[in-house]
Amino acid sequence: GKEAQSAVCGLPHSNHAALAVAKKEQQEAIEHIDEVQNEIDRLNEQASEEILKVEQKYNKLRQPFFQKRSELIAKIPNFWVTTFVNHPQVSALLGEEDEEALHYLTRVEVTEFEDIKSGYRIDFYFDENPYFENKVLSKEFHLNESGDPSSKSTEIKWKSGKDLTKRSSQTQNKAGKKRQHEEPESFFTWFTDHSDAGADELGEVIKDDIWPNPLQYYLVPDMDDEEAEGEDDDDEEGLEDIDEEGDEDDGEEDEDDGDDGEVCPI
């Protein structure tokens, strides 16, 4: 306040001039930084445009391979339902009846729009099934004119009494609150959920994780086989425990026998 002002006023004239020069230099530096920043921003925009062109180029080059892959996948029964069940994030969204319905899923296609950044579409192709009339279910994500994300999807034409989205909530309510947290909503509610198109986790997982290489999830070892192997390991550990107990009873003489996994008679 006043002390600072009197201190400044009490400075020699040369110091006043020095402060003014320093302030002017700072202001000029800020203006130059702003100019340089504008150049950086311009280069970033240019880079984004060129990166987009490269992405578009390779997106087109990938299409024949995606087509060939889809033709080969069609020869493998239950490829897509197995892939989804084996994926940790997607399997968490699947109830038993969802899995049953997805056994009729024959093909999945992800199409990124020409502008790529403007959005993408996921198409699910189904055989004739007892759940709904549709042959194709699609969900599309795009940026509208104002730049806000939005989504739209196929209306599912459920057959009488087969609406899994309603059945799921009824089952949960009957089973009580605890069950409600454990049992996920039906996978098919995703087609009607447009609440947060900008952060659609399932859409992003399918587009960015599963679609580039679904085979890696199809080939995940079956959990039943892993559990069986785990039981075998447990049996071996059990034998080792018995050996150790036998070794303790018999002393060091039976150490070699213990290594063979056999218990020597006392």
Side-chain angles (χ1 to χ4, degrees):
K2 290 181 180 179
E3 290 178 6
Q5 189 177 354
S6 61
V8 171
C9 291
L11 288 171
H13 182 71
S14 59
N15 284 8
H16 278 299
L19 283 172
V21 169
K23 192 171 183 181
K24 185 180 179 185
E25 286 177 350
Q26 286 181 18
Q27 187 58 39
E28 287 176 354
I30 288 171
E31 288 172 5
H32 287 312
I33 290 170
D34 191 45
E35 288 171 9
V36 172
Q37 193 61 51
N38 287 336
E39 287 299 313
I40 293 171
D41 292 343
R42 188 181 62 78
L43 282 172
N44 287 343
E45 285 177 20
Q46 191 178 333
S48 294
E49 288 171 9
E50 292 186 20
I51 289 167
L52 181 59
K53 287 176 185 174
V54 171
E55 286 179 347
Q56 288 172 330
K57 173 187 173 182
Y58 283 94
N59 202 29
K60 286 179 181 174
L61 290 173
R62 282 191 286 263
Q63 294 314 307
F65 295 98
F66 285 146
Q67 182 62 36
K68 179 66 175 173
R69 188 181 70 184
S70 290
E71 291 168 5
L72 293 168
I73 284 174
K75 299 178 180 180
I76 303 174
N78 301 323
F79 179 91
W80 285 108
V81 67
T82 304
T83 298
F84 287 159
V85 167
N86 285 346
H87 191 284
Q89 286 166 281
V90 179
S91 64
L93 304 173
L94 299 177
E96 283 185 27
E97 286 188 296
D98 291 330
E99 283 186 39
E100 288 298 319
L102 288 174
H103 274 84
Y104 297 92
L105 178 62
T106 58
R107 198 167 101 223
V108 173
E109 298 285 345
V110 175
T111 306
E112 294 196 75
F113 300 148
E114 184 65 25
D115 185 11
I116 295 181
K117 288 188 290 187
S118 66
Y120 61 97
R121 187 181 72 249
I122 305 176
D123 298 311
F124 299 79
Y125 295 81
F126 288 86
D127 273 341
E128 177 70 32
N129 65 80
Y131 295 95
F132 43 80
E133 303 288 349
N134 312 68
K135 293 287 186 285
V136 184
L137 296 178
S138 303
K139 189 165 185 179
E140 187 175 298
F141 301 86
H142 55 91
L143 296 176
N144 57 28
E145 291 177 0
S146 61
D148 297 322
S150 61
S151 61
K152 60 182 180 179
S153 57
T154 310
E155 181 183 348
I156 304 176
K157 297 174 182 174
W158 296 102
K159 293 183 177 179
S160 179
K162 293 292 186 177
D163 188 339
L164 299 182
T165 60
K166 291 180 180 176
R167 187 175 302 181
S168 172
S169 58
Q170 288 170 356
T171 306
Q172 288 173 8
N173 291 337
K174 286 178 184 174
K177 288 185 179 179
K178 186 178 178 184
R179 180 66 175 169
Q180 193 167 359
H181 290 298
E182 293 173 2
E183 184 70 23
E185 284 187 349
S186 170
F187 169 85
F188 292 93
T189 59
W190 176 68
F191 288 95
T192 58
D193 181 9
H194 304 290
S195 59
D196 195 2
D200 191 297
E201 189 176 351
L202 180 56
E204 295 291 329
V205 163
I206 294 172
K207 176 174 76 77
D208 296 330
D209 193 16
I210 295 176
W211 176 248
N213 184 7
L215 190 62
Q216 65 179 325
Y217 292 106
Y218 176 78
L219 294 175
V220 167
D222 188 58
M223 291 305 291
D224 294 339
D225 295 341
E226 285 189 358
E227 286 172 10
E229 287 175 14
E231 287 171 8
D232 292 342
D233 292 342
D234 291 343
D235 291 344
E236 288 174 13
E237 285 174 11
L239 286 174
E240 287 172 11
D241 292 342
I242 295 169
D243 293 343
E244 287 170 8
E245 289 173 9
D247 291 344
E248 286 172 8
D249 293 342
D250 298 342
E252 295 179 1
E253 294 176 7
D254 295 331
E255 277 184 5
D256 292 337
D257 293 328
D259 291 338
D260 294 332
E262 296 175 1
V263 180
C264 294
I266 297 172

